[in-house]
Amino acid sequence: MWTGTTVLCDGTVVCSCQDTLEWMPLGNVEQEPFESIWNGEPYRRLRRRVLYNPMEVYACRYCVFCRRVANSEIDYATRTETAKRLPERLWIEPIVACNLRCPGCGRELIAASRKRQTMPFETYKSVIDQLGPGLRLLLFYDYGESFLHPRAADMLRYAKHVNEKMLIHCSTNGLLLRDEAKQREVIETGVDELLFSVDGASQEVYEQYRVGGDFEAVVKVMESMVRLRNSLGLEKPRIMWRYILFRWNDSDEEMDRARRLALEIGVDDFSWLLTTHPPEMYSRRFAPGSPELEKIDHELFRWQDPTIDPMHGT
């Protein structure tokens, strides 16, 4: 509400990536400057509601950013309905389309909520021009596979041009990066972190959630990008393998195979992610508070941004 924002592919501004269906639109960057939206009445009204009782706000009930705090923790000099600074964290959705059919996504409903499926490059540039100089973190994705956008690499490159110090984090299923020329193009944009969502250590297990995916192909992409980055003498992007735990992929055998494979192909980071969505699919074995969860706590996915809760995922 005060430090971060989300801009969807149709230009709509929402409070966070939790508002997937535009329940609470706060403005549109194609209709007015972002600063006007940031301190406009819809944002001010939402901040008032969050300050007094966030659980009355539908989107806040399930939001990973929402936590109860004692009154003494709230800095009333800054936690007012008006934000003193522009946000330093930006989630941006280049495109809402995807090449996979993951059962927990609800993509058809989400896509239907957007007035447009793909963000124009000029809209993206305008947002980055306004917010980029003060950004600490750019999350280059929301719903949709970002690399389906025909100018995804140009977008990453432009953000670094505006502010080379911002951390750019991109999440992908990796299947559109099979071509080495495309891999090189992405590496040379300067993106800091490239996270691959691969939830299994075999095709049989992986495809239960990543419907339409090719396990061997995405493993080869991760391995190839590590090798290509190193051959170019670069340290970025960090290649990260994130494995969401479900009820069908949380056995010791499957998890150990994934660990060994991650070491073999040389990714920079391998981690587990917990989710409670969809309710019928989440891992009961690693439920919060369980002894089993304690055993893998050191391997859980954690953001460099400490305000983001690592215990939830999509």
Side-chain angles (χ1 to χ4, degrees):
M1 257 355 115
W2 290 267
T3 62
T5 193
T6 298
V7 181
L8 303 178
C9 60
D10 60 4
T12 301
V13 176
V14 292
C15 59
S16 78
C17 61
Q18 183 68 31
D19 191 358
T20 58
L21 296 176
E22 301 185 16
W23 293 309
M24 301 180 297
L26 301 168
N28 191 293
V29 294
E30 295 182 345
Q31 298 169 6
E32 59 182 313
F34 181 84
E35 189 168 3
S36 297
I37 298 170
W38 187 237
N39 282 312
E41 182 53 31
Y43 243 124
R44 292 160 64 91
R45 183 167 56 248
L46 185 56
R47 291 188 188 107
R48 284 197 295 271
R49 295 177 67 192
V50 169
L51 279 170
Y52 289 106
N53 191 350
M55 292 304 103
E56 288 186 355
V57 182
Y58 180 75
C60 293
R61 296 175 196 172
Y62 311 102
C63 184
V64 300
F65 298 101
C66 190
R67 67 186 183 93
R68 294 188 180 278
V69 297
N71 284 344
S72 59
E73 290 186 62
I74 300 176
D75 177 2
Y76 283 102
T78 56
R79 298 284 168 159
T80 63
E81 64 184 47
T82 303
K84 302 300 181 183
R85 296 180 298 274
L86 289 177
E88 55 186 23
R89 183 181 63 241
L90 169 65
W91 239 286
I92 199 158
E93 181 182 72
I95 192 168
V96 79
C98 188
N99 54 325
L100 296 183
R101 303 183 303 282
C102 304
C105 182
R107 182 159 319 281
E108 291 184 1
L109 183 61
I110 292 167
S113 72
R114 306 290 190 266
K115 302 173 188 67
R116 184 180 52 235
Q117 307 293 293
T118 303
M119 178 176 285
F121 186 64
E122 291 305 315
T123 298
Y124 174 85
K125 282 182 63 179
S126 175
V127 173
I128 297 300
D129 286 344
Q130 294 176 71
L131 300 184
L135 283 183
R136 179 169 54 86
L137 175 64
L138 172 64
L139 298 123
F140 187 74
Y141 67 98
D142 192 17
Y143 277 79
E145 169 54 50
S146 296
F147 290 108
L148 273 174
H149 195 291
R151 301 198 65 180
D154 293 333
M155 289 172 154
L156 293 169
R157 193 178 298 112
Y158 188 77
K160 278 295 184 181
H161 169 73
V162 170
N163 180 359
E164 63 179 9
K165 293 183 179 180
M166 80 168 74
L167 176 75
I168 302 181
H169 175 93
C170 185
S171 177
T172 179
N173 60 52
L175 294 166
L176 299 176
L177 302 177
R178 303 187 206 195
D179 180 71
E180 184 173 316
K182 182 68 173 179
Q183 294 172 15
R184 180 184 292 267
E185 181 183 38
V186 172
I187 289 171
E188 291 180 344
T189 63
V191 60
D192 297 274
E193 296 179 344
L194 196 57
L195 184 149
F196 292 80
S197 295
V198 185
D199 318 307
S202 62
Q203 178 66 23
E204 181 183 7
V205 173
Y206 163 79
E207 68 182 358
Q208 290 193 53
Y209 189 71
R210 304 292 167 181
V211 178
D214 184 328
F215 176 74
E216 293 296 331
V218 71
V219 169
K220 287 180 181 177
V221 169
M222 290 190 288
E223 183 177 28
S224 176
M225 293 198 75
V226 170
R227 185 172 59 249
L228 180 58
R229 179 202 62 192
N230 293 345
S231 72
L232 293 170
L234 300 173
E235 297 181 355
K236 299 185 298 185
R238 293 179 68 233
I239 304 301
M240 309 165 71
W241 176 348
R242 187 184 69 180
Y243 184 129
I244 301 179
L245 290 167
F246 296 105
R247 57 179 173 76
W248 60 79
N249 68 0
D250 63 354
S251 68
D252 286 336
E253 294 77 14
E254 192 74 13
M255 293 170 71
D256 284 342
R257 279 197 297 270
R259 287 186 182 102
R260 290 194 299 270
L261 186 55
L263 285 172
E264 181 182 322
I265 66 176
V267 297
D268 302 293
D269 183 81
F270 175 83
S271 59
W272 315 112
L273 185 71
L274 301 184
T275 184
T276 56
H277 182 76
E280 69 277 11
M281 296 182 182
Y282 76 90
S283 170
R284 273 64 170 177
R285 179 185 179 191
F286 295 104
S290 67
E292 290 291 293
L293 180 58
E294 291 182 15
K295 297 177 184 178
I296 65 168
D297 180 74
H298 63 290
E299 296 177 296
L300 290 177
F301 176 71
R302 287 181 167 85
W303 296 87
Q304 289 197 15
D305 184 336
T307 65
I308 300 178
D309 187 340
M311 303 294 286
H312 298 73
T314 55

